[in-house]
Amino acid sequence: MAVTEAVENYLETILILSKQSDEVHAIDICTYMGYSRPTVSIILKKMRDDGLVNVDSDNHITLTDSGREVAERIYERHIIVSKLLMMLGVKKETALEDACKIEHDISPESFEALKQHYLNLSSLMKNSAEQE
């Protein structure tokens, strides 16, 4: 099943919101993403039909295992790319915006190379700070 960029953004949003609160509702997604309730409802139905989210009788939204896998992959890319850009001197706002664009299109190979570079830089910076 191919997951679109829009669906990836919704899954990432649900993951982020679930880290902030035990309960995620459609209105929370609307508020976070700035979308209307009907728009969010349509996508939620598609994601439920595709087995990416569950919605219980109290309208609590949770990620399925496959939905969580996609969300965590996209979220990790967002975090690593934005932090690496900031380490390179990019303003936080710009780095976060650019990471949102890059996270969906970067190949697994390129992301792994960036991630390893980020981890190496982080380790070097930490060691340098500890020696001071």
Side-chain angles (χ1 to χ4, degrees), residues 52-128:
L52 298 170
V53 298
N54 292 315
V55 181
D56 69 17
S57 59
D58 293 324
N59 292 316
H60 299 145
I61 302 163
T62 56
L63 297 168
T64 63
D65 289 342
S66 57
R68 180 168 296 283
E69 183 180 314
V70 172
E72 288 178 350
R73 177 176 45 84
I74 294 301
Y75 187 63
E76 178 188 38
R77 288 176 173 206
H78 181 86
I79 296 299
I80 297 292
V81 170
S82 62
K83 286 184 177 183
L84 184 56
L85 290 171
M86 286 184 274
M87 288 172 108
L88 295 171
V90 176
K91 290 184 300 185
K92 184 176 181 178
E93 289 173 11
T94 305
L96 294 172
E97 288 175 17
D98 287 347
C100 281
K101 297 169 191 166
I102 294 168
E103 69 194 23
H104 302 286
D105 294 326
I106 192 169
S107 70
E109 179 183 3
S110 293
F111 174 70
E112 285 304 317
L114 286 177
K115 179 179 173 181
Q116 194 57 52
H117 185 67
Y118 166 76
L119 294 172
N120 291 340
L121 280 175
S122 295
S123 179
L124 285 172
M125 292 171 76
K126 180 180 177 188
N127 290 340
S128 177

